[in-house]
């Protein structure tokens, strides 16, 4: 399956949109995208995973390293992860260090999901 990722900013929040299968092969591209997103000061990193169908162990490691790069007090929010991705995050223990949102998170200047 294909994979797509892109990001944007709203104030001090960086939002990364992920869809498809995040395989080990795709992790370097995600790492580059995260590095670009964190080149600006952020207090929140939102990972919109509504279209993400799978997450590899390397993808989880990438997210763990990302958390270590964030400034003190900054948070990672995972929005809309499917059951299989949520299970991977929970099995890895990473779910304890982040905020998991089941529905859809509405951020300032962003329309709420219908």
């Amino acid at each position: 399956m294909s994979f797509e990722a892109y990001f944007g900013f709203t104030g001090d929040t960086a939002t990364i949109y992920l869809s498809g299968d995040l395989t080990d092969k795709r992790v370097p591209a995600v790492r580059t995208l995260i590095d670009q997103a964190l080149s600006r000061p952020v207090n929140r990193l939102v990972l919109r995973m509504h279209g993400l169908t799978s997450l590899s162990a390397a993808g989880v490691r990438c997210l763990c390293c990302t958390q270590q790069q964030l400034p003190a007090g900054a948070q990672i929010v995972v929005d809309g992860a499917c059951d299989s991705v949520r299970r991977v995050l929970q099995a890895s223990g990473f779910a304890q260090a982040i905020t998991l949102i089941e529905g859809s998170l509405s951020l300032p200047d962003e329309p709420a999901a219908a």
Side-chain angles (χ1 to χ4, degrees), residues 2-56:
S2 64
F3 177 74
E4 184 177 20
Y6 59 95
F7 74 97
F9 291 96
T10 302
D12 61 359
T13 298
T15 303
I16 298 178
Y17 300 82
L18 302 168
S19 65
D21 293 327
L22 179 46
T23 63
D24 292 355
K25 181 180 175 181
R26 304 289 187 190
V27 169
V30 172
R31 177 78 254 157
T32 299
L33 194 65
I34 289 170
D35 289 342
Q36 290 172 349
L38 297 182
S39 67
R40 290 174 41 174
V42 297
N43 286 324
R44 179 185 299 152
L45 176 63
V46 177
L47 302 170
R48 293 223 181 226
M49 296 185 171
H50 293 274
L52 193 67
T53 53
S54 68
L55 177 64
S56 70

Side-chain angles (χ1 to χ4, degrees), residues 35-114:
D35 289 342
Q36 290 172 349
L38 297 182
S39 67
R40 290 174 41 174
V42 297
N43 286 324
R44 179 185 299 152
L45 176 63
V46 177
L47 302 170
R48 293 223 181 226
M49 296 185 171
H50 293 274
L52 193 67
T53 53
S54 68
L55 177 64
S56 70
V60 173
R61 284 190 304 274
C62 177
L63 298 179
C64 290
C65 291
T66 298
Q67 184 183 36
Q68 294 173 350
Q69 288 182 275
L70 291 174
Q75 63 178 342
I76 294 178
V77 177
V78 172
D79 178 27
C82 68
D83 287 341
S84 62
V85 171
R86 290 174 72 84
R87 282 193 300 272
V88 169
L89 293 171
Q90 290 166 343
S92 69
F94 188 59
Q96 296 175 6
I98 61 174
T99 302
L100 282 168
I101 308 273
E102 286 190 40
S104 183
L105 178 67
S106 181
L107 298 173
D109 301 326
E110 244 183 57

